[in-house]
PDB file of all heavy atoms in Angstrom:
ATOM      1  N   MET A   1      -6.567  -7.152  11.257  1.00 96.00           N
ATOM      2  CA  MET A   1      -6.986  -8.546  11.230  1.00 96.00           C
ATOM      3  C   MET A   1      -6.802  -9.190   9.861  1.00 96.00           C
ATOM      4  O   MET A   1      -6.552 -10.391   9.770  1.00 96.00           O
ATOM      5  CB  MET A   1      -8.461  -8.624  11.643  1.00 96.00           C
ATOM      6  CG  MET A   1      -9.045 -10.013  11.772  1.00 96.00           C
ATOM      7  SD  MET A   1     -10.711  -9.931  12.495  1.00 96.00           S
ATOM      8  CE  MET A   1     -11.554  -8.977  11.235  1.00 96.00           C
ATOM      9  N   ILE A   2      -6.928  -8.417   8.789  1.00 96.00           N
ATOM     10  CA  ILE A   2      -6.850  -9.001   7.460  1.00 96.00           C
ATOM     11  C   ILE A   2      -5.435  -9.496   7.163  1.00 96.00           C
ATOM     12  O   ILE A   2      -4.457  -9.056   7.771  1.00 96.00           O
ATOM     13  CB  ILE A   2      -7.306  -8.006   6.367  1.00 96.00           C
ATOM     14  CG1 ILE A   2      -6.449  -6.738   6.382  1.00 96.00           C
ATOM     15  CG2 ILE A   2      -8.776  -7.677   6.533  1.00 96.00           C
ATOM     16  CD1 ILE A   2      -6.807  -5.746   5.276  1.00 96.00           C
ATOM     17  N   ASP A   3      -5.349 -10.412   6.228  1.00 95.00           N
ATOM     18  CA  ASP A   3      -4.060 -10.974   5.838  1.00 95.00           C
ATOM     19  C   ASP A   3      -3.091  -9.879   5.401  1.00 95.00           C
ATOM     20  O   ASP A   3      -3.493  -8.883   4.789  1.00 95.00           O
ATOM     21  CB  ASP A   3      -4.285 -11.976   4.691  1.00 95.00           C
ATOM     22  CG  ASP A   3      -2.991 -12.548   4.155  1.00 95.00           C
ATOM     23  OD1 ASP A   3      -2.419 -13.428   4.812  1.00 95.00           O
ATOM     24  OD2 ASP A   3      -2.553 -12.098   3.063  1.00 95.00           O
ATOM     25  N   GLY A   4      -1.796 -10.074   5.705  1.00 94.00           N
ATOM     26  CA  GLY A   4      -0.794  -9.068   5.415  1.00 94.00           C
ATOM     27  C   GLY A   4      -0.707  -8.701   3.940  1.00 94.00           C
ATOM     28  O   GLY A   4      -0.583  -7.527   3.580  1.00 94.00           O
ATOM     29  N   GLU A   5      -0.758  -9.698   3.061  1.00 95.00           N
ATOM     30  CA  GLU A   5      -0.719  -9.419   1.632  1.00 95.00           C
ATOM     31  C   GLU A   5      -1.959  -8.665   1.182  1.00 95.00           C
ATOM     32  O   GLU A   5      -1.883  -7.764   0.334  1.00 95.00           O
ATOM     33  CB  GLU A   5      -0.573 -10.725   0.847  1.00 95.00           C
ATOM     34  CG  GLU A   5       0.787 -11.400   0.987  1.00 95.00           C
ATOM     35  CD  GLU A   5       0.931 -12.615   0.092  1.00 95.00           C
ATOM     36  OE1 GLU A   5       0.010 -12.847  -0.730  1.00 95.00           O
ATOM     37  OE2 GLU A   5       1.958 -13.315   0.202  1.00 95.00           O
ATOM     38  N   ASP A   6      -3.103  -9.043   1.736  1.00 97.00           N
ATOM     39  CA  ASP A   6      -4.347  -8.363   1.407  1.00 97.00           C
ATOM     40  C   ASP A   6      -4.299  -6.917   1.878  1.00 97.00           C
ATOM     41  O   ASP A   6      -4.733  -6.002   1.163  1.00 97.00           O
ATOM     42  CB  ASP A   6      -5.520  -9.103   2.053  1.00 97.00           C
ATOM     43  CG  ASP A   6      -6.871  -8.593   1.586  1.00 97.00           C
ATOM     44  OD1 ASP A   6      -6.962  -8.069   0.455  1.00 97.00           O
ATOM     45  OD2 ASP A   6      -7.848  -8.734   2.354  1.00 97.00           O
ATOM     46  N   TYR A   7      -3.778  -6.706   3.082  1.00 97.00           N
ATOM     47  CA  TYR A   7      -3.616  -5.353   3.611  1.00 97.00           C
ATOM     48  C   TYR A   7      -2.757  -4.509   2.686  1.00 97.00           C
ATOM     49  O   TYR A   7      -3.111  -3.379   2.324  1.00 97.00           O
ATOM     50  CB  TYR A   7      -3.006  -5.415   5.011  1.00 97.00           C
ATOM     51  CG  TYR A   7      -2.419  -4.111   5.491  1.00 97.00           C
ATOM     52  CD1 TYR A   7      -3.236  -3.045   5.855  1.00 97.00           C
ATOM     53  CD2 TYR A   7      -1.035  -3.950   5.582  1.00 97.00           C
ATOM     54  CE1 TYR A   7      -2.684  -1.845   6.302  1.00 97.00           C
ATOM     55  CE2 TYR A   7      -0.481  -2.758   6.035  1.00 97.00           C
ATOM     56  CZ  TYR A   7      -1.304  -1.706   6.385  1.00 97.00           C
ATOM     57  OH  TYR A   7      -0.751  -0.517   6.824  1.00 97.00           O
ATOM     58  N   GLU A   8      -1.610  -5.041   2.291  1.00 96.00           N
ATOM     59  CA  GLU A   8      -0.706  -4.270   1.424  1.00 96.00           C
ATOM     60  C   GLU A   8      -1.354  -3.977   0.071  1.00 96.00           C
ATOM     61  O   GLU A   8      -1.225  -2.876  -0.457  1.00 96.00           O
ATOM     62  CB  GLU A   8       0.608  -5.028   1.227  1.00 96.00           C
ATOM     63  CG  GLU A   8       1.633  -4.242   0.413  1.00 96.00           C
ATOM     64  CD  GLU A   8       3.052  -4.738   0.578  1.00 96.00           C
ATOM     65  OE1 GLU A   8       3.280  -5.624   1.436  1.00 96.00           O
ATOM     66  OE2 GLU A   8       3.945  -4.235  -0.122  1.00 96.00           O
ATOM     67  N   LYS A   9      -2.073  -4.943  -0.469  1.00 96.00           N
ATOM     68  CA  LYS A   9      -2.735  -4.744  -1.760  1.00 96.00           C
ATOM     69  C   LYS A   9      -3.788  -3.647  -1.675  1.00 96.00           C
ATOM     70  O   LYS A   9      -3.846  -2.748  -2.524  1.00 96.00           O
ATOM     71  CB  LYS A   9      -3.373  -6.059  -2.220  1.00 96.00           C
ATOM     72  CG  LYS A   9      -4.137  -5.988  -3.543  1.00 96.00           C
ATOM     73  CD  LYS A   9      -4.652  -7.372  -3.937  1.00 96.00           C
ATOM     74  CE  LYS A   9      -5.434  -7.324  -5.252  1.00 96.00           C
ATOM     75  NZ  LYS A   9      -6.692  -6.619  -5.125  1.00 96.00           N
ATOM     76  N   ARG A  10      -4.602  -3.704  -0.635  1.00 97.00           N
ATOM     77  CA  ARG A  10      -5.701  -2.736  -0.513  1.00 97.00           C
ATOM     78  C   ARG A  10      -5.195  -1.329  -0.240  1.00 97.00           C
ATOM     79  O   ARG A  10      -5.666  -0.369  -0.855  1.00 97.00           O
ATOM     80  CB  ARG A  10      -6.654  -3.176   0.601  1.00 97.00           C
ATOM     81  CG  ARG A  10      -7.397  -4.451   0.305  1.00 97.00           C
ATOM     82  CD  ARG A  10      -8.671  -4.476   1.117  1.00 97.00           C
ATOM     83  NE  ARG A  10      -9.073  -5.791   1.536  1.00 97.00           N
ATOM     84  CZ  ARG A  10     -10.207  -6.036   2.151  1.00 97.00           C
ATOM     85  NH1 ARG A  10     -11.036  -5.055   2.455  1.00 97.00           N
ATOM     86  NH2 ARG A  10     -10.534  -7.267   2.503  1.00 97.00           N
ATOM     87  N   ILE A  11      -4.259  -1.188   0.676  1.00 97.00           N
ATOM     88  CA  ILE A  11      -3.789   0.157   1.004  1.00 97.00           C
ATOM     89  C   ILE A  11      -2.961   0.734  -0.137  1.00 97.00           C
ATOM     90  O   ILE A  11      -2.951   1.951  -0.349  1.00 97.00           O
ATOM     91  CB  ILE A  11      -3.005   0.165   2.338  1.00 97.00           C
ATOM     92  CG1 ILE A  11      -2.919   1.600   2.885  1.00 97.00           C
ATOM     93  CG2 ILE A  11      -1.633  -0.475   2.195  1.00 97.00           C
ATOM     94  CD1 ILE A  11      -2.428   1.683   4.309  1.00 97.00           C
ATOM     95  N   THR A  12      -2.298  -0.129  -0.897  1.00 96.00           N
ATOM     96  CA  THR A  12      -1.553   0.336  -2.069  1.00 96.00           C
ATOM     97  C   THR A  12      -2.510   0.873  -3.126  1.00 96.00           C
ATOM     98  O   THR A  12      -2.289   1.939  -3.705  1.00 96.00           O
ATOM     99  CB  THR A  12      -0.704  -0.806  -2.651  1.00 96.00           C
ATOM    100  OG1 THR A  12       0.243  -1.255  -1.665  1.00 96.00           O
ATOM    101  CG2 THR A  12       0.046  -0.340  -3.898  1.00 96.00           C
ATOM    102  N   GLU A  13      -3.592   0.148  -3.390  1.00 96.00           N
ATOM    103  CA  GLU A  13      -4.589   0.609  -4.349  1.00 96.00           C
ATOM    104  C   GLU A  13      -5.217   1.925  -3.896  1.00 96.00           C
ATOM    105  O   GLU A  13      -5.450   2.823  -4.709  1.00 96.00           O
ATOM    106  CB  GLU A  13      -5.666  -0.453  -4.542  1.00 96.00           C
ATOM    107  CG  GLU A  13      -5.182  -1.702  -5.274  1.00 96.00           C
ATOM    108  CD  GLU A  13      -6.234  -2.785  -5.344  1.00 96.00           C
ATOM    109  OE1 GLU A  13      -7.292  -2.634  -4.657  1.00 96.00           O
ATOM    110  OE2 GLU A  13      -6.010  -3.791  -6.061  1.00 96.00           O
ATOM    111  N   PHE A  14      -5.487   2.033  -2.604  1.00 96.00           N
ATOM    112  CA  PHE A  14      -6.070   3.247  -2.058  1.00 96.00           C
ATOM    113  C   PHE A  14      -5.131   4.434  -2.257  1.00 96.00           C
ATOM    114  O   PHE A  14      -5.543   5.509  -2.697  1.00 96.00           O
ATOM    115  CB  PHE A  14      -6.364   3.056  -0.569  1.00 96.00           C
ATOM    116  CG  PHE A  14      -6.872   4.283   0.132  1.00 96.00           C
ATOM    117  CD1 PHE A  14      -8.208   4.608   0.076  1.00 96.00           C
ATOM    118  CD2 PHE A  14      -6.011   5.106   0.849  1.00 96.00           C
ATOM    119  CE1 PHE A  14      -8.690   5.740   0.725  1.00 96.00           C
ATOM    120  CE2 PHE A  14      -6.488   6.241   1.494  1.00 96.00           C
ATOM    121  CZ  PHE A  14      -7.817   6.556   1.427  1.00 96.00           C
ATOM    122  N   TRP A  15      -3.861   4.244  -1.946  1.00 94.00           N
ATOM    123  CA  TRP A  15      -2.885   5.323  -2.047  1.00 94.00           C
ATOM    124  C   TRP A  15      -2.652   5.723  -3.503  1.00 94.00           C
ATOM    125  O   TRP A  15      -2.592   6.913  -3.818  1.00 94.00           O
ATOM    126  CB  TRP A  15      -1.565   4.889  -1.391  1.00 94.00           C
ATOM    127  CG  TRP A  15      -0.573   5.988  -1.210  1.00 94.00           C
ATOM    128  CD1 TRP A  15       0.221   6.534  -2.181  1.00 94.00           C
ATOM    129  CD2 TRP A  15      -0.251   6.671  -0.007  1.00 94.00           C
ATOM    130  NE1 TRP A  15       1.010   7.515  -1.641  1.00 94.00           N
ATOM    131  CE2 TRP A  15       0.737   7.622  -0.309  1.00 94.00           C
ATOM    132  CE3 TRP A  15      -0.698   6.573   1.308  1.00 94.00           C
ATOM    133  CZ2 TRP A  15       1.302   8.467   0.657  1.00 94.00           C
ATOM    134  CZ3 TRP A  15      -0.152   7.414   2.270  1.00 94.00           C
ATOM    135  CH2 TRP A  15       0.834   8.343   1.934  1.00 94.00           C
ATOM    136  N   LYS A  16      -2.525   4.729  -4.388  1.00 93.00           N
ATOM    137  CA  LYS A  16      -2.256   5.006  -5.798  1.00 93.00           C
ATOM    138  C   LYS A  16      -3.365   5.813  -6.453  1.00 93.00           C
ATOM    139  O   LYS A  16      -3.133   6.552  -7.408  1.00 93.00           O
ATOM    140  CB  LYS A  16      -2.032   3.698  -6.556  1.00 93.00           C
ATOM    141  CG  LYS A  16      -0.682   3.045  -6.287  1.00 93.00           C
ATOM    142  CD  LYS A  16      -0.596   1.669  -6.911  1.00 93.00           C
ATOM    143  CE  LYS A  16      -0.587   1.726  -8.408  1.00 93.00           C
ATOM    144  NZ  LYS A  16      -0.367   0.356  -8.988  1.00 93.00           N
ATOM    145  N   ALA A  17      -4.583   5.646  -5.944  1.00 93.00           N
ATOM    146  CA  ALA A  17      -5.701   6.404  -6.495  1.00 93.00           C
ATOM    147  C   ALA A  17      -5.632   7.875  -6.126  1.00 93.00           C
ATOM    148  O   ALA A  17      -6.337   8.696  -6.715  1.00 93.00           O
ATOM    149  CB  ALA A  17      -7.023   5.815  -6.012  1.00 93.00           C
ATOM    150  N   LYS A  18      -4.786   8.214  -5.175  1.00 89.00           N
ATOM    151  CA  LYS A  18      -4.718   9.586  -4.695  1.00 89.00           C
ATOM    152  C   LYS A  18      -3.396  10.271  -5.004  1.00 89.00           C
ATOM    153  O   LYS A  18      -3.357  11.465  -5.278  1.00 89.00           O
ATOM    154  CB  LYS A  18      -4.964   9.613  -3.181  1.00 89.00           C
ATOM    155  CG  LYS A  18      -6.361   9.136  -2.797  1.00 89.00           C
ATOM    156  CD  LYS A  18      -6.580   9.166  -1.305  1.00 89.00           C
ATOM    157  CE  LYS A  18      -7.978   8.697  -0.947  1.00 89.00           C
ATOM    158  NZ  LYS A  18      -9.040   9.597  -1.465  1.00 89.00           N
ATOM    159  N   GLN A  19      -2.300   9.532  -4.952  1.00 86.00           N
ATOM    160  CA  GLN A  19      -1.009  10.131  -5.231  1.00 86.00           C
ATOM    161  C   GLN A  19       0.022   9.046  -5.544  1.00 86.00           C
ATOM    162  O   GLN A  19      -0.231   7.853  -5.374  1.00 86.00           O
ATOM    163  CB  GLN A  19      -0.530  10.992  -4.058  1.00 86.00           C
ATOM    164  CG  GLN A  19      -0.310  10.251  -2.768  1.00 86.00           C
ATOM    165  CD  GLN A  19      -0.016  11.199  -1.616  1.00 86.00           C
ATOM    166  OE1 GLN A  19      -0.827  12.021  -1.255  1.00 86.00           O
ATOM    167  NE2 GLN A  19       1.155  11.089  -1.044  1.00 86.00           N
ATOM    168  N   GLU A  20       1.176   9.478  -5.996  1.00 86.00           N
ATOM    169  CA  GLU A  20       2.225   8.550  -6.396  1.00 86.00           C
ATOM    170  C   GLU A  20       2.782   7.798  -5.192  1.00 86.00           C
ATOM    171  O   GLU A  20       2.941   8.352  -4.104  1.00 86.00           O
ATOM    172  CB  GLU A  20       3.351   9.325  -7.090  1.00 86.00           C
ATOM    173  CG  GLU A  20       4.444   8.451  -7.682  1.00 86.00           C
ATOM    174  CD  GLU A  20       5.503   9.247  -8.402  1.00 86.00           C
ATOM    175  OE1 GLU A  20       5.299  10.473  -8.571  1.00 86.00           O
ATOM    176  OE2 GLU A  20       6.538   8.665  -8.799  1.00 86.00           O
ATOM    177  N   LEU A  21       3.073   6.534  -5.408  1.00 85.00           N
ATOM    178  CA  LEU A  21       3.635   5.715  -4.345  1.00 85.00           C
ATOM    179  C   LEU A  21       5.079   6.097  -4.058  1.00 85.00           C
ATOM    180  O   LEU A  21       5.822   6.474  -4.967  1.00 85.00           O
ATOM    181  CB  LEU A  21       3.595   4.235  -4.724  1.00 85.00           C
ATOM    182  CG  LEU A  21       2.270   3.488  -4.614  1.00 85.00           C
ATOM    183  CD1 LEU A  21       2.465   2.048  -5.075  1.00 85.00           C
ATOM    184  CD2 LEU A  21       1.750   3.495  -3.187  1.00 85.00           C
ATOM    185  N   PRO A  22       5.515   5.990  -2.803  1.00 83.00           N
ATOM    186  CA  PRO A  22       6.935   6.135  -2.489  1.00 83.00           C
ATOM    187  C   PRO A  22       7.720   4.956  -3.089  1.00 83.00           C
ATOM    188  O   PRO A  22       7.128   3.993  -3.577  1.00 83.00           O
ATOM    189  CB  PRO A  22       6.960   6.077  -0.958  1.00 83.00           C
ATOM    190  CG  PRO A  22       5.542   6.251  -0.519  1.00 83.00           C
ATOM    191  CD  PRO A  22       4.684   5.766  -1.614  1.00 83.00           C
ATOM    192  N   PRO A  23       9.043   5.023  -3.072  1.00 82.00           N
ATOM    193  CA  PRO A  23       9.839   3.867  -3.531  1.00 82.00           C
ATOM    194  C   PRO A  23       9.411   2.588  -2.816  1.00 82.00           C
ATOM    195  O   PRO A  23       8.996   2.623  -1.653  1.00 82.00           O
ATOM    196  CB  PRO A  23      11.278   4.264  -3.166  1.00 82.00           C
ATOM    197  CG  PRO A  23      11.252   5.762  -3.121  1.00 82.00           C
ATOM    198  CD  PRO A  23       9.898   6.148  -2.642  1.00 82.00           C
ATOM    199  N   GLU A  24       9.508   1.464  -3.508  1.00 77.00           N
ATOM    200  CA  GLU A  24       8.950   0.209  -3.012  1.00 77.00           C
ATOM    201  C   GLU A  24       9.435  -0.154  -1.605  1.00 77.00           C
ATOM    202  O   GLU A  24       8.646  -0.529  -0.736  1.00 77.00           O
ATOM    203  CB  GLU A  24       9.273  -0.920  -3.987  1.00 77.00           C
ATOM    204  CG  GLU A  24       8.635  -2.247  -3.597  1.00 77.00           C
ATOM    205  CD  GLU A  24       8.854  -3.317  -4.654  1.00 77.00           C
ATOM    206  OE1 GLU A  24       9.247  -2.968  -5.778  1.00 77.00           O
ATOM    207  OE2 GLU A  24       8.626  -4.500  -4.335  1.00 77.00           O
ATOM    208  N   GLY A  25      10.740  -0.073  -1.392  1.00 81.00           N
ATOM    209  CA  GLY A  25      11.281  -0.433  -0.089  1.00 81.00           C
ATOM    210  C   GLY A  25      10.748   0.457   1.016  1.00 81.00           C
ATOM    211  O   GLY A  25      10.370  -0.015   2.096  1.00 81.00           O
ATOM    212  N   LYS A  26      10.683   1.740   0.759  1.00 89.00           N
ATOM    213  CA  LYS A  26      10.180   2.682   1.749  1.00 89.00           C
ATOM    214  C   LYS A  26       8.688   2.477   1.985  1.00 89.00           C
ATOM    215  O   LYS A  26       8.206   2.594   3.118  1.00 89.00           O
ATOM    216  CB  LYS A  26      10.451   4.115   1.285  1.00 89.00           C
ATOM    217  CG  LYS A  26      10.085   5.176   2.304  1.00 89.00           C
ATOM    218  CD  LYS A  26      10.532   6.559   1.858  1.00 89.00           C
ATOM    219  CE  LYS A  26      10.218   7.606   2.918  1.00 89.00           C
ATOM    220  NZ  LYS A  26      10.691   8.959   2.541  1.00 89.00           N
ATOM    221  N   TRP A  27       7.947   2.166   0.915  1.00 93.00           N
ATOM    222  CA  TRP A  27       6.507   1.972   1.033  1.00 93.00           C
ATOM    223  C   TRP A  27       6.180   0.789   1.947  1.00 93.00           C
ATOM    224  O   TRP A  27       5.318   0.886   2.808  1.00 93.00           O
ATOM    225  CB  TRP A  27       5.889   1.764  -0.350  1.00 93.00           C
ATOM    226  CG  TRP A  27       4.433   1.419  -0.349  1.00 93.00           C
ATOM    227  CD1 TRP A  27       3.858   0.259  -0.778  1.00 93.00           C
ATOM    228  CD2 TRP A  27       3.358   2.253   0.094  1.00 93.00           C
ATOM    229  NE1 TRP A  27       2.502   0.300  -0.637  1.00 93.00           N
ATOM    230  CE2 TRP A  27       2.160   1.511  -0.099  1.00 93.00           C
ATOM    231  CE3 TRP A  27       3.289   3.538   0.647  1.00 93.00           C
ATOM    232  CZ2 TRP A  27       0.910   2.025   0.224  1.00 93.00           C
ATOM    233  CZ3 TRP A  27       2.033   4.035   0.976  1.00 93.00           C
ATOM    234  CH2 TRP A  27       0.875   3.286   0.764  1.00 93.00           C
ATOM    235  N   HIS A  28       6.882  -0.315   1.766  1.00 92.00           N
ATOM    236  CA  HIS A  28       6.646  -1.486   2.603  1.00 92.00           C
ATOM    237  C   HIS A  28       6.932  -1.187   4.065  1.00 92.00           C
ATOM    238  O   HIS A  28       6.165  -1.576   4.950  1.00 92.00           O
ATOM    239  CB  HIS A  28       7.497  -2.668   2.126  1.00 92.00           C
ATOM    240  CG  HIS A  28       7.251  -3.920   2.901  1.00 92.00           C
ATOM    241  ND1 HIS A  28       6.125  -4.708   2.751  1.00 92.00           N
ATOM    242  CD2 HIS A  28       7.997  -4.513   3.885  1.00 92.00           C
ATOM    243  CE1 HIS A  28       6.165  -5.722   3.586  1.00 92.00           C
ATOM    244  NE2 HIS A  28       7.292  -5.628   4.281  1.00 92.00           N
ATOM    245  N   LYS A  29       8.032  -0.487   4.325  1.00 92.00           N
ATOM    246  CA  LYS A  29       8.355  -0.098   5.701  1.00 92.00           C
ATOM    247  C   LYS A  29       7.261   0.789   6.279  1.00 92.00           C
ATOM    248  O   LYS A  29       6.849   0.627   7.426  1.00 92.00           O
ATOM    249  CB  LYS A  29       9.689   0.644   5.748  1.00 92.00           C
ATOM    250  CG  LYS A  29      10.932  -0.225   5.635  1.00 92.00           C
ATOM    251  CD  LYS A  29      12.170   0.643   5.824  1.00 92.00           C
ATOM    252  CE  LYS A  29      13.455  -0.171   5.762  1.00 92.00           C
ATOM    253  NZ  LYS A  29      14.664   0.692   5.946  1.00 92.00           N
TER     254      LYS A  29
END
């Protein structure tokens, strides 16, 4: 339900706190 940008921001912060992010293009997909 939350806004798409808000969703991406929150889940990105959550993931970064635990492990390295995948490449940007792959992460968005």
